[in-house]
Amino acid sequence: MATLNIPEIPKDYDAASIEERCRALWEETGIYKYDPNAPGEVFSVDTPPPYVSAAHLHVGHAMSYTQAEIVIRYQRMKGKKIYYPMGFDDNGLPTERFVEKTYNINKQKTTRAEFRALCLEETRKGAAQYEELWRSLGLSVDWNLRYSTIDDHCRRTAQRSFLDLYGKGRVYRSNEPVLWDVHFETALAQADLESMARKGKMHDIAFSAKADGSPLVISTTRPELIPACVALYHHPEDERYAHLKGTTAVVPLFEHEVPILTDEAVDPAFGTGLMMVCTFGDGEDVRKWKRDKLATRLVIGPDGKMLPSAGEFAGQTAEIARNNIVGALARAGHHLKSVSVEQNVSIAERSGVPVEFNMAPQWFIRVLDIKPQMLARSAELGWNPEWMKVRLDHWIEGLKYDWNISRQRFYGVPFPVWYCQACGEAILADEASLPVDPLEDPCRLSACPACGGTDLKGEPDVMDTWMTSSLTPLINANWAGTPGRKGDMSLHPMTVRVQAFEIIRTWLFYTLIKSDAHLETLPWKDVMISGWGLNEHGKKISKSDLEKYTDKDGYNRYEPFGVIKKFGADALRFWAAGSHLGQDMRFNEKDVKDGRKLAVKLWNAARFVLMQIEGFDPEAPRPSFADRMPEDRWLLTELNRILPGVEAGFEGYNYAVAREAIERFFWATFCDDYLEMVKHRFWKPELYSEEARVSARATLWEALRVILGLYAPFVPFTTEDLYQAIYRPVEGTPSLHITAWPTYEPTRTADVPEMQVVMAILRAVRQLRTEARLSQTRALEAVVLDLRTASDELKGVVHAMLPSIQAVARAGAVRFDEASYPADVAGLAVGIVAGELPEKVVQA
RNA sequence: GGGCGGAUAGCUCAGCGGGUAGAGCAGUACCCUUACAAGGUACGGGUCGCAGGUUCGAGCCCUGUUCCGCCUACCA
């Protein structure tokens, strides 16, 4: 007879060795490899390529990536073909800033080649660190599908995108005022701004009317822009200034003459109702400048310092010039008063300095004309959670500028463009030649097709990093047709984009634009937006958290490698699944212990099952559901009944809902109740038939297997290791993670009403034992049941369930007598008779 | 200024097709018990931010309001 060779499982749970075994197994078996030829529906995931600049990895990163990965593991077990790539974003300002800081250098003091080499090196190091974290966390990424936004394939894809958009008239080049970062000395897009509240001063400054020299008072927080003033404005219906129509004013100190104009947007109640418009204080100035064809008087240079046009203030930073100009105005009698005000200023997200405007030719992608189309795309998309949708919609509605994709930086994807130095004609690269670097590669033409000029120079700017990362679905689908690259257009649109909320206006929005422009589709069917893991105080985990809380052994509570080492990867993953999708969650180290406890509990429950099933033959026929003992039918029923809810949770990306249901079943029903009851059948064989034990063994074997499957997405290491030891020899499938997801079995689901009585007695006996200060497992002489007020039905159940009742009470006998403790069943009271206590061993 | 989340036990979070609240941790008591002491059993602990309203009945629906976080906005 074939009997199971009962495997040995070490008594102690050792996360590190389990993780080591599993990582090796997953590597060898290649179970996470995407196979385009396998049967089944594809489930493809567009994952965020992290920035190397975010090298301060913390548990918040682990949280959001894990939340998505749990759902992916579920889908894999549902039989989907998983396309789960990982990318690294190594373009752009974040990397440049990181390199600048790390090496304490800046753009001026290094060559382009040197700087790029450092960026590449830091990128390589950062990516390696990320990859190690993802592997430690057990993310089931197919590392063959890796991409890096600076690699040839991605540069090619980004440049092809540019050419395609150019061909479609969606991209244009224009010399107009652009948002400018005076630290990095580059243009920015609207999405690269943040706002910062600060205290400022509002100054009342007297201009004078050209005609009669009478004072015209304006209020401004930016007096340093007075030399840049090109007009004064008031509301068209403001009686106070009606007489100024068609006249001009003289700018104090600088003495140039500016027109006085009207605009509906001027608030007559603000300040004096008269405002100055400059080159350029804000987007409103730009609007008026364009509409009214105002003069241009740029006074702030690309580096944020005042230009010669600012006269004696040239060379000063805007901030210093602000004070100096106020001083000069005061001395000249033009400064009337100052009041402190709270103001919101736009700062550059990457450098943190207030943005200015600058003028330089830039490439733009037209987006303002397709707002309604983008809102429609947003509505088509499956948002999880749903309420995240408004964040995108508000952003789209509030867009003011087309997307500027030119960056005056070193490290990024070049534009595939050369310009004729004679006439300015732009000459684009051939698609076949991509990727190109126009600063190194020659132009495909030797002469300008417009004017015949032969001096053709490459575009020195690079593209906005989002120009590339907005293409991740197309990078994955090899839209650019890069030879040898995996993936094809059947992957587009993808199944789901996973990301956190802060990049909705950038990554999500730009990706929608690209797929719409290139292919007229959504990039994905669904989007899954995670929240953030916060520090103990409910704030974003910062670099200072990673420094401040580091102990003398180098351990830091927010640093994921250390947390994994201390509690195990499964523990950290389990914590990550604790908050509902989209919701932020505070990280407390002690909460990771819950995950650790679960892993240990699974381990020990499995050990217990193995101890009890000795002699069990998994290949022999098992008793049918109807032939099992009531406890066993009850257990299987309870287990079956959680499955639809668990599945519905996962299908809606609600891993947390699934986790709660599984948790309740495993901990309370399986461990606390069922395992405690079933022990008796093995410990008191004289009270039970062999059939009862056969039924128990079959049920334990089956239930543990389902439990491992259900927990597999959450704690993949522990469940895999147990599966390998116990079930793989029988089932053969090389990994738990590619076995079938447990399915609801209606034929193994049936109410077992008599178990309500047994469970009520179990609860009563536990209570009585606690009150009597008796151990829960010490054998009682007897359990007393008071059935004097019981219905005949109840009496019948009690008599039918006597062995079970004796089991839950761990009593030598069941007696029917008076008892005082009311059970949770009408007409039943319970008592216990402890009997002789065993003699205590007295320690000397 | 507008919007979106959150506000429930000391802590972290569930509960929301309305029927006077749950888990884990922390606390207390007991149990060295043949899976598990990083355990088990039991207990204590909440006027569900505040104020109104709808309803026989409201953490759950409506209105207003206060904090916290985030997004967004030209008040120069």
Side-chain angles (χ1 to χ4, degrees), chain A residues 588-618:
Chain A
N588 286 294
E589 196 188 29
K590 68 182 173 58
D591 293 333
V592 182
K593 285 185 189 165
D594 289 353
R596 170 75 179 195
K597 276 177 55 176
L598 169 72
V600 171
K601 191 79 173 176
L602 271 171
W603 191 258
N604 285 311
R607 283 179 54 230
F608 174 79
V609 168
L610 292 182
M611 287 175 195
Q612 306 311 330
I613 63 174
E614 203 176 343
F616 173 72
D617 177 3

Side-chain angles (χ1 to χ4, degrees), chain A residues 9 107 140 146 180 201 206 234 244 346 360 409 503 512 524 556 577 634 638 656 693 702 709 734 816 834:
Chain A
I9 292 183
K107 205 174 167 181
S140 53
R146 173 199 181 105
W180 192 264
K201 279 211 167 85
H234 60 84
L244 295 173
S346 288
R409 296 298 301 180
I503 48 177
L512 284 181
W524 344 267
N556 181 291
W634 169 79
E638 294 288 313
R693 278 183 295 279
E702 292 160 3
F816 299 98

Side-chain angles (χ1 to χ4, degrees), chain A residues 344-476:
Chain A
N344 286 323
V345 294
S346 288
I347 59 171
E349 183 189 11
R350 300 299 175 189
S351 66
V353 300
V355 294
E356 299 291 353
F357 283 84
N358 192 20
M359 289 187 67
Q362 311 276 327
W363 288 100
F364 294 87
I365 293 179
R366 234 180 275 282
V367 294
L368 295 179
D369 61 328
I370 51 169
K371 284 188 186 187
Q373 205 171 320
M374 289 300 110
L375 288 169
R377 289 290 185 211
S378 169
E380 268 181 75
L381 193 55
W383 287 87
N384 300 281
E386 213 169 332
W387 50 265
M388 286 288 183
K389 175 176 180 290
V390 294
R391 298 198 180 202
L392 177 64
D393 294 351
H394 285 312
W395 175 254
I396 294 172
E397 286 159 8
L399 277 172
K400 291 186 298 183
Y401 312 102
D402 281 337
W403 176 14
N404 180 348
I405 54 170
S406 291
R407 296 292 179 273
Q408 288 68 47
R409 296 298 301 180
F410 290 161
Y411 189 61
V413 178
F415 285 87
V417 180
W418 291 259
Y419 302 104
C420 170
Q421 298 302 294
C423 71
E425 176 79 2
I427 303 162
L428 274 64
D430 265 334
E431 204 174 300
S433 66
L434 306 182
V436 297
D437 182 349
L439 293 189
E440 286 170 19
D441 302 328
C443 181
R444 68 188 163 89
L445 301 179
S446 54
C448 170
C451 75
T454 53
D455 188 8
L456 307 177
K457 285 217 164 67
E459 162 73 71
D461 288 352
V462 296
M463 295 181 189
D464 179 7
T465 180
W466 296 110
M467 185 67 187
T468 311
S469 41
S470 58
L471 294 163
T472 49
L474 296 173
I475 288 168
N476 282 311

Side-chain angles (χ1 to χ4, degrees), chain A residues 8-9 14 51 62 115 121 179 353 412 479 508 562 583 592 642 707 734 736 741 792 814 831:
Chain A
E8 286 285 322
I9 292 183
D14 178 3
Y51 282 127
F115 192 79
E121 174 59 14
L179 296 164
V353 300
W479 171 70
L508 199 156
Q583 228 63 63
V592 182
I642 68 165
I707 288 164
L736 174 64
W741 183 255
D792 288 345
V814 180

Side-chain angles (χ1 to χ4, degrees), chain A residues 141-155:
Chain A
V141 166
D142 179 353
W143 289 98
N144 298 297
L145 304 176
R146 173 199 181 105
Y147 61 86
S148 152
T149 56
I150 202 70
D151 68 25
D152 282 358
H153 172 60
C154 292
R155 291 203 325 277

Side-chain angles (χ1 to χ4, degrees), chain A residues 629-644:
Chain A
M629 299 287 284
E631 288 92 331
D632 304 335
R633 277 184 277 124
W634 169 79
L635 189 269
L636 292 171
T637 297
E638 294 288 313
L639 176 53
N640 258 311
R641 283 189 174 153
I642 68 165
L643 296 181

